[in-house]
Amino acid sequence: MAKREDYEAKTESFLMPLMEEYNYELVDVEYVKEAGNWYLRAYIDKEGGIAVDDCEIISRKLGEWLDENDFIADSYILEVSSPGLGRPLKKDKDFARSIGEEVDIRLYKALNKQKEFNGTLQSYNKETVTITLEDGTELVINRPEIALIRLAFDF
């Protein structure tokens, strides 16, 4: 297991009991390098939405635990936040919750001369995602070809 997956897995296992205790949902944990800095991010949610105070509670508890266990060799920035409006769909529970919702999909390489699609999520499995496009046609996309899939939002 690469260090990134190891750090994410350890962090996730610490956070799961906290999520149950506070009745939150752990949407995702990621350890990524951006603009020369490492970030350990935990995305949390709850019914009715997450507030700054919720993020602060989890951030404080997670920060203390990370300081005690000190298993991340690099210096990093800890962030605990809401997944936001355009939250990416990563886990099966995200897909299940989003059936019938409008999604935006970005592909790694073009399909039918197009890399971005918008449609209604109809179904998913381990290999594919099926959406209905605006014109009513169904499009089946292989999951490994998807760079990003998230709930669509209009302003």
Side-chain angles (χ1 to χ4, degrees):
M1 182 184 296
K3 73 175 182 178
R4 183 180 63 78
E5 287 100 4
D6 183 45
Y7 297 164
E8 291 171 352
K10 284 180 179 176
T11 303
E12 192 169 316
S13 38
F14 169 76
L15 287 171
M16 289 313 290
L18 277 178
M19 296 298 104
E20 287 182 30
E21 180 183 339
Y22 287 94
N23 209 20
Y24 296 160
E25 174 193 356
L26 181 62
V27 175
D28 197 17
V29 172
E30 64 180 8
Y31 184 71
V32 294
K33 191 169 194 173
E34 294 176 359
N37 292 314
W38 282 102
Y39 290 85
L40 178 61
R41 292 191 180 114
Y43 297 98
I44 61 175
D45 206 358
K46 72 175 181 184
E47 191 74 33
I50 285 291
V52 173
D53 291 345
D54 300 317
C55 294
E56 183 182 346
I57 290 167
I58 299 304
S59 180
R60 190 167 290 141
K61 290 182 180 285
L62 178 57
E64 289 170 2
W65 178 78
L66 288 165
D67 288 345
E68 286 172 20
N69 290 277
D70 198 25
F71 60 87
I72 299 177
D74 312 299
S75 66
Y76 61 92
I77 298 165
L78 175 63
E79 294 181 351
V80 176
S81 69
S82 157
L85 290 175
R87 76 193 282 175
L89 308 182
K90 293 188 174 188
K91 299 178 180 174
D92 284 347
K93 66 181 179 177
D94 301 327
F95 284 93
R97 176 182 31 237
S98 301
I99 295 290
E101 298 287 335
E102 190 176 346
V103 294
D104 292 326
I105 298 177
R106 189 176 320 134
L107 303 179
Y108 288 111
K109 54 185 187 179
L111 173 68
N112 304 327
K113 300 181 183 176
Q114 196 174 329
K115 283 180 97 172
E116 295 186 6
F117 295 89
N118 175 276
T120 303
L121 181 62
Q122 296 301 321
S123 64
Y124 70 95
N125 59 40
K126 289 184 193 275
E127 291 86 31
T128 63
V129 170
T130 304
I131 61 171
T132 302
L133 302 173
E134 196 173 288
D135 66 5
T137 58
E138 251 187 25
L139 179 65
V140 178
I141 303 171
N142 292 323
R143 280 177 78 165
E145 296 171 7
I146 298 173
L148 175 70
I149 180 169
R150 67 179 178 197
L151 292 176
F153 54 97
D154 295 318
F155 289 101

